[in-house]
Amino acid sequence: MTRSRHAQTVCIVFVAFLFMAASAHASPTFEISGGGEAEVKGTQKTTHVLSIEGNNTECPTVTMNSVGKISNGATTAALHPEYSKCTAFGFIAATVTTTGCNYRLMASGTSTGSPPHYIGEVAVECEAGKEIVISAGGVCEAKFGSQTLTSGPEYTDTIDINGFADWDLIEDDTEISVNKTQDGFGCPFNGTGKATAIYNGVTTNLCTRPAGTPISCKLVN
């Protein structure tokens, strides 16, 4: 009987320890002013650049819009990206097609610094048969589909010019697995096939109520 009670005590302590450890490493959540739900509007803060074998795709106009709404206390936000006015691989005109694909943003770990700063992930989520396609000059094409980007994404809380709390997605040398699907005359690729692209750029994400009224939202532990 003594051994049984001792075993129960050890078990309870161990479970409590696991619970505290899990709580200490819980993912940051979105805190929406006034609670409830909000939509997210993301706009580029710096030019977004995707480099494949040293050949850049640059898009000075980038927007990311909510896929549905986020709730107060949510740990992820799904956004649909759109890129325009792009140049790619030495060609003045290029297109980045994102139909059927979204980004799911997820912060992780505890905050550091001031303002709060978090490491994180970005999951590229594409419908079956869909990929993000970069096309330039009719001779260069690269694609990437569903994958989770863990090397590079970071998040930080900020304050916009109107005093609303918002948050930045920072792509800092983020690695993306791409497939070079076309390498025609004048295209600088080193042949077709798999490659690792490097993505850099900052997007500021502002929360709004469904009617479009800006509200404060930020990441908290």
Side-chain angles (χ1 to χ4, degrees):
M1 180 64 73
T2 301
R3 289 183 179 178
S4 177
R5 287 178 179 173
H6 177 71
Q8 288 178 340
T9 301
V10 170
C11 182
I12 291 170
V13 171
F14 182 68
V15 171
F17 172 79
L18 290 179
F19 177 79
M20 288 187 292
S23 298
H25 294 86
S27 297
T29 60
F30 294 104
E31 182 181 84
I32 301 171
S33 178
E37 296 181 323
E39 296 177 346
V40 179
K41 175 77 171 182
T43 55
Q44 87 280 4
K45 195 171 187 176
T46 66
T47 298
H48 286 228
V49 180
L50 179 73
S51 180
I52 303 174
E53 298 173 343
N55 304 295
N56 291 346
T57 298
E58 298 189 15
C59 297
T61 303
V62 180
T63 60
M64 297 187 188
N65 293 303
S66 285
V67 179
K69 303 177 180 68
I70 64 170
S71 299
N72 188 55
T75 57
T76 70
L79 305 179
H80 178 67
E82 294 185 352
Y83 301 86
S84 58
K85 300 181 180 179
C86 301
T87 61
F89 319 132
F91 294 89
I92 295 175
T95 59
V96 179
T97 304
T98 59
T99 304
C101 294
N102 301 314
Y103 295 155
R104 184 169 295 278
L105 314 185
M106 301 167 283
S108 59
T110 56
S111 62
T112 59
S114 180
H117 191 90
Y118 307 84
I119 60 171
E121 299 178 351
V122 173
V124 181
E125 299 179 337
C126 294
E127 299 171 3
K130 297 290 187 179
E131 294 180 286
I132 293 177
V133 182
I134 304 167
S135 182
V139 294
C140 263
E141 185 181 81
K143 302 178 180 180
F144 63 94
S146 297
Q147 58 189 288
T148 299
L149 313 178
T150 59
S151 174
E154 301 174 349
Y155 300 89
T156 186
D157 290 328
T158 63
I159 301 293
D160 73 6
I161 59 174
N162 296 309
F164 292 102
D166 50 25
W167 44 282
D168 286 353
L169 164 61
I170 304 168
E171 300 283 10
D172 185 14
D173 288 341
T174 298
E175 296 182 353
I176 302 179
S177 296
V178 300
N179 186 23
K180 299 174 294 174
T181 50
Q182 187 177 10
D183 182 15
F185 180 77
C187 182
F189 289 162
N190 184 25
T192 58
K194 303 293 184 180
T196 299
I198 303 298
Y199 190 1
N200 284 280
V202 181
T203 306
T204 295
N205 300 284
L206 175 67
C207 289
T208 66
R209 293 299 187 193
T213 305
I215 58 170
S216 289
C217 67
K218 60 182 179 179
L219 285 163
V220 296
N221 279 122

